[in-house]
C-alpha cells in the first residue's frame, strides 16, 4: 500500500526543514493569484465552503527556489503565471478542459511546466466543464482538478518507487491518484477547511471499493523547439 501523508501546514515551513532532493518528483498547483472563484458563479456550491483561501497572490521566487531545492523533478500547473521563476524547458503539458472561454467564461486549457524532458510536450484531453465531465467532481475546492489528470501524469512521468510532493493540496485529487497508482505522497495544505475536507475524501476513498478507475485520457505528443 502506498504511504499517503497529509500535512496541515505551511509548505514553506515544511520545505525549510527538508534536505536537498528529499523528493523525486513534485507535482504542484500553487495559487495563480486570480481570486478564489475567478469568473465563476458567486452562487455556486463552492461558496458554501467558504474558508481562508483567497488565491489573491501567486508564490514568489522564494517558493520556487525551495521547491527546486527539495525535489529532483517538478511538474508545475499554472506555468503561464510563473514564467519569470521557471527555466526554459522542452516539455509543456497542456490540459484541454473542453470549455469555451467566450460563452462559459472559463479557460479552455491549463498549462504545466515540467523539468522532465524525456517526453515532448503533451496535450491531455479531459473534459471538465458544464455537465460533460470526465469523472464526478468532489466539489469543495473551486480549483479542483480531476483524479484522472493526476493519474495520467503519474503514469507518464513518474517511475515506480518515486516519492511525490504536493505543496498545495487543495481538493486533494492527487492523493486519490497516488493511492490508485501506488505512489508514496506527502501533501501540504494550509487551509483548515480544505485540509479536513480532503482528509475525509481520501478516507472515504480508501474505505470503500473503488467507485471508478480513471479512464486514460486522449493525449497528443508535441514537439517543442526551445530556440523557436
Amino acid at each position: 500500500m502506498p504511504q499517503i501523508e497529509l500535512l496541515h501546514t505551511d509548505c514553506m515551513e515544511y520545505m525549510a526543514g527538508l534536505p536537498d532532493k528529499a523528493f523525486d518528483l513534485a507535482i504542484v498547483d500553487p495559487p495563480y493569484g486570480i481570486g478564489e472563484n475567478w469568473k465563476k458563479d458567486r452562487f455556486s456550491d463552492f461558496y458554501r465552503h467558504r474558508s481562508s483561501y483567497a488565491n489573491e497572490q501567486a508564490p514568489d521566487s522564494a517558493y520556487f527556489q525551495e521547491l527546486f531545492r527539495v525535489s529532483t523533478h517538478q511538474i508545475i500547473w499554472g506555468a503561464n503565471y510563473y514564467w519569470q521563476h521557471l527555466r526554459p524547458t522542452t516539455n509543456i503539458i497542456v490540459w484541454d478542459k473542453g470549455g469555451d472561454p467566450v460563452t462559459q467564461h472559463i479557460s479552455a486549457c491549463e498549462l504545466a511546466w515540467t523539468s522532465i524532458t524525456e517526453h515532448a510536450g503533451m496535450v491531455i484531453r479531459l473534459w471538465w466543464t458544464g455537465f460533460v465531465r470526465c469523472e464526478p467532481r468532489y466539489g469543495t475546492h473551486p480549483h479542483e482538478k480531476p483524479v484522472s489528470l493526476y493519474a495520467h501524469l503519474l503514469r507518464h512521468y513518474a517511475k515506480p518507487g518515486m516519492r511525490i510532493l504536493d505543496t498545495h493540496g487543495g481538493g486533494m485529487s492527487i492523493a486519490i491518484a497516488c493511492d490508485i497508482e501506488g505512489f508514496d505522497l506527502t501533501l501540504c495544505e494550509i487551509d483548515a477547511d480544505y485540509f479536513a475536507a480532503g482528509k475525509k475524501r481520501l478516507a472515504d476513498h480508501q474505505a470503500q471499493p473503488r467507485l471508478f478507475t480513471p479512464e486514460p485520457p486522449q493525449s497528443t505528443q508535441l514537439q517543442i523547439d526551445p530556440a523557436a
Side-chain angles (χ1 to χ4, degrees):
M1 291 289 292
Q3 299 298 310
I4 310 295
E5 183 180 26
L6 307 181
L7 303 177
H8 178 210
T9 187
D10 184 326
C11 67
M12 291 298 291
E13 294 179 3
Y14 174 69
M15 289 192 291
L18 294 175
D20 293 355
K21 310 306 178 188
F23 289 89
D24 302 294
L25 175 62
I27 304 178
V28 299
D29 188 18
Y32 300 170
I34 58 177
E36 179 186 8
N37 212 23
W38 182 64
K39 291 187 178 179
K40 294 192 175 92
D41 181 5
R42 288 187 171 273
F43 298 98
S44 71
D45 287 341
F46 300 119
Y47 276 83
R48 301 174 191 174
H49 303 278
R50 293 306 296 239
S51 68
S52 62
Y53 178 79
N55 192 13
E56 296 294 345
Q57 185 174 356
D60 59 15
S61 61
Y63 166 78
F64 291 97
Q65 290 171 6
E66 278 293 85
L67 184 69
F68 293 141
R69 182 184 68 81
V70 304
S71 57
T72 302
H73 285 293
Q74 305 82 29
I75 297 175
I76 302 174
W77 285 106
N80 46 309
Y81 296 98
Y82 318 126
W83 291 129
Q84 70 272 29
H85 303 301
L86 304 175
R87 302 183 298 271
T89 182
T90 58
N91 192 354
I92 293 294
I93 302 166
V94 181
W95 171 28
D96 180 358
K97 302 162 69 172
D100 184 339
V102 176
T103 61
Q104 297 177 318
H105 305 291
I106 60 172
S107 298
C109 66
E110 293 193 30
L111 304 179
W113 175 97
T114 178
S115 62
I116 303 172
T117 58
E118 297 151 7
H119 302 77
M122 180 181 293
V123 175
I124 304 172
R125 293 179 177 86
L126 277 173
W127 262 231
W128 195 241
T129 61
F131 295 103
V132 182
R133 297 184 186 276
C134 58
E135 66 189 51
R137 186 166 189 164
Y138 192 70
T140 58
H141 195 281
H143 303 296
E144 177 186 335
K145 286 179 168 58
V147 172
S148 46
L149 178 65
Y150 285 108
H152 188 72
L153 295 179
L154 292 168
R155 291 173 194 151
H156 282 76
Y157 294 104
K159 297 178 181 178
M162 277 189 167
R163 296 186 63 221
I164 312 298
L165 171 67
D166 182 4
T167 57
H168 296 78
M172 300 198 190
S173 297
I174 191 174
I176 310 298
C178 283
D179 187 68
I180 293 172
E181 298 296 327
F183 286 93
D184 292 347
L185 169 73
T186 297
L187 177 153
C188 300
E189 175 53 54
I190 194 172
D191 183 274
D193 292 337
Y194 289 130
F195 178 80
K199 186 175 181 179
K200 181 180 184 302
R201 182 186 185 188
L202 178 62
D204 289 347
H205 160 78
Q206 293 176 326
Q208 59 188 341
R210 219 169 275 180
L211 295 179
F212 70 95
T213 300
E215 291 292 333
Q218 296 180 356
S219 61
T220 304
Q221 298 293 123
L222 299 176
Q223 297 296 329
I224 299 175
D225 182 358

